[in-house]
Amino acid sequence: MIEIIAATVEDAIKIESCGGERIELVSALSEGGLTPSYGTIKNVVSSVNIPVNVIIRPHSKNFIYSEEDMKVMIEDINLVKELGANGVVIGVLTENNEIDNSKLERLIKAADKLDITFHRAIEEVNNIVESVKVLSKYQEITNILTSGGSGRIEDNIAVLNEMTRHSGNIRILAGGGLNLNNIQDIIRNSSVKDYHFGTAIREGNRFNGEIDEDKLRRLVGIVKNR
């Protein structure tokens, strides 16, 4: 699986035409991704045939959410379902940097039959492998997006492999610093089969850069010919 971040309808169309297999739809890419607008979700979903997973993140302060935040997130999840997207991308932690099981379960319940990706909030937990074990108990969670912790993703291959070993039916989605320079090492040395790209496929590797279709096609070719 090759998942690419999109922020606009134009992004989404380019991603599909270049061989991307799934979209993570966000706004405010420079903030790590926030929930996109109703209109963006609606028009992206109707413009492509590949799955669209929508990030549900109301602010970039942290991954600790108040009851008011939860109301917003649940309402946004309900809108995503109504608009026909494939899934949601979520993550919620306690003040002690652990998975917030009670709030996570409420979001899972709201998502119902949607695919669920637990996003890079997992990078901030105290023990990433133990947190994967916690998440593996939820059959509804389909993916965990991760770079294997802090630092460069290529230095975290051993952690990615350990996460894969304990993830059960959840697919580990390698992302966060994945690019043309390190993708072959990740493919060759890790047990991960799914890959997520953000700024690596944009002009100048900038958050606000346009998607570089040549770079994207090259990355797709590397992954598909591994």
Side-chain angles (χ1 to χ4, degrees):
M1 172 59 69
I2 304 168
E3 179 179 273
I4 310 294
I5 292 177
T8 65
V9 175
E10 290 82 3
D11 284 353
I13 292 170
K14 287 180 181 179
I15 289 166
E16 182 174 42
S17 69
C18 292
E21 297 170 316
R22 187 172 65 214
I23 288 166
E24 181 190 4
L25 185 61
V26 310
S27 67
L29 186 54
S30 63
E31 297 291 319
L34 299 178
T35 308
S37 71
Y38 173 96
T40 300
I41 300 168
K42 179 181 178 182
N43 283 280
V44 166
V45 169
S46 65
S47 297
V48 296
N49 295 311
I50 58 176
V52 177
N53 290 354
V54 181
I55 194 167
I56 304 298
R57 189 177 174 219
H59 59 71
S60 60
K61 294 186 294 185
N62 50 45
F63 301 109
I64 303 164
Y65 298 113
S66 68
E67 279 304 309
E68 294 305 315
D69 291 332
M70 288 293 292
K71 291 176 184 177
V72 170
M73 295 168 80
I74 289 169
E75 187 167 338
D76 284 338
I77 290 172
N78 288 332
L79 282 175
V80 167
K81 285 193 293 188
E82 290 174 16
L83 293 172
N86 177 72
V88 292
V89 182
I90 60 175
V92 55
L93 304 180
T94 68
E95 292 184 0
N96 295 320
N97 292 326
E98 303 290 350
I99 304 295
D100 191 327
N101 290 284
S102 62
K103 288 179 179 173
L104 176 61
E105 287 165 10
R106 290 166 61 189
L107 297 177
I108 289 173
K109 182 178 179 181
D112 196 15
K113 296 183 174 69
L114 295 177
D115 278 2
I116 298 173
T117 297
F118 194 96
H119 59 50
R120 293 187 64 205
I122 198 166
E123 251 69 277
E124 299 191 11
V125 300
N126 296 315
N127 188 313
I128 197 166
V129 174
E130 289 302 314
S131 293
V132 168
K133 293 178 184 178
V134 170
L135 294 176
S136 71
K137 298 175 183 177
Y138 296 102
Q139 295 182 351
E140 300 90 345
I141 297 177
T142 48
N143 310 287
I144 297 173
L145 173 60
T146 180
S147 59
S150 60
R152 303 187 308 166
I153 190 169
E154 56 265 41
D155 296 330
N156 296 334
I157 289 175
V159 178
L160 290 171
N161 289 341
E162 191 72 0
M163 294 174 75
T164 301
R165 194 163 73 86
H166 292 285
S167 63
N169 292 323
I170 299 176
R171 299 176 71 92
I172 298 299
L173 179 61
L178 204 58
N179 55 49
L180 275 167
N181 296 323
N182 58 26
I183 180 61
Q184 290 178 322
D185 283 343
I186 302 297
I187 290 171
R188 184 165 48 246
N189 298 314
S190 81
S191 52
V192 174
K193 304 298 181 188
D194 297 342
Y195 310 95
H196 168 101
F197 299 96
T199 57
I201 52 84
R202 294 183 177 271
E203 294 174 354
N205 296 332
R206 303 189 314 271
F207 292 117
N208 62 351
E210 296 294 334
I211 287 179
D212 184 324
E213 296 179 67
D214 178 62
K215 286 170 71 174
L216 178 50
R217 287 193 178 97
R218 286 166 62 196
L219 279 168
V220 169
I222 291 169
V223 172
K224 289 190 173 180
N225 294 319
R226 67 187 186 276

